[in-house]
Amino acid sequence: MPIARLTDAEVSALLEDLPGWTLREDGLAIECGFEFDDFSQAFSFMTRIALYAEKADHHPEWFNVYNRVGITLTTHDAGGISQRDADMAHAIEAML
Ligand code: H2B
């Protein structure tokens, strides 16, 4: 079943609620970068997200180099940003 995309107004409201998160240039994803003291902290953060992702059946696109983690959230089944991305972004903030 297709998943509904958030409207532009809903995405704007979401980003106001999520300091540090921005809209990707094409408008189809939200992204944020995180920096930790070391790799161990960064990877532990990623592990918490991975457990959430499996439970929610919603998976991030991400990038890690040592203490830095870049996360992009989009819903492939929606062709853009959905409530699943909003929920995941809020969950990620709560994992910091
Ligand atoms: N993750 C993301 N980010 N978007 C999706 O549309 C998606 C997913 N779909 N994880 C899920 C898995 C889907 O492929 C499975 C079959 O439920």
Side-chain angles (χ1 to χ4, degrees), residues 57-59 74-77:
D57 191 27
H58 193 63
H59 301 85
T74 187
T75 302
H76 309 120
D77 298 341

Side-chain angles (χ1 to χ4, degrees), residues 21-26 28-34 49 58-63 69-76 81 85 88-89 92:
W21 289 78
T22 53
L23 193 60
R24 195 171 67 188
E25 216 167 51
D26 64 7
L28 298 178
I30 55 173
E31 42 193 19
C32 192
F34 301 88
I49 295 172
H58 193 63
H59 301 85
E61 297 174 20
W62 54 14
F63 174 83
V69 180
I71 297 180
T72 299
L73 299 181
T74 187
T75 302
H76 309 120
I81 302 160
D85 302 305
M88 190 168 205
I92 287 170

Side-chain angles (χ1 to χ4, degrees), residues 34-79:
F34 301 88
E35 198 169 316
F36 298 89
D37 288 344
D38 53 28
F39 176 74
S40 175
Q41 281 191 22
F43 198 74
S44 149
F45 174 63
M46 293 173 77
T47 303
R48 294 194 290 279
I49 295 172
L51 294 172
Y52 173 97
E54 279 296 274
K55 231 188 239 176
D57 191 27
H58 193 63
H59 301 85
E61 297 174 20
W62 54 14
F63 174 83
N64 163 242
V65 175
Y66 181 52
N67 64 335
R68 288 183 291 126
V69 180
I71 297 180
T72 299
L73 299 181
T74 187
T75 302
H76 309 120
D77 298 341

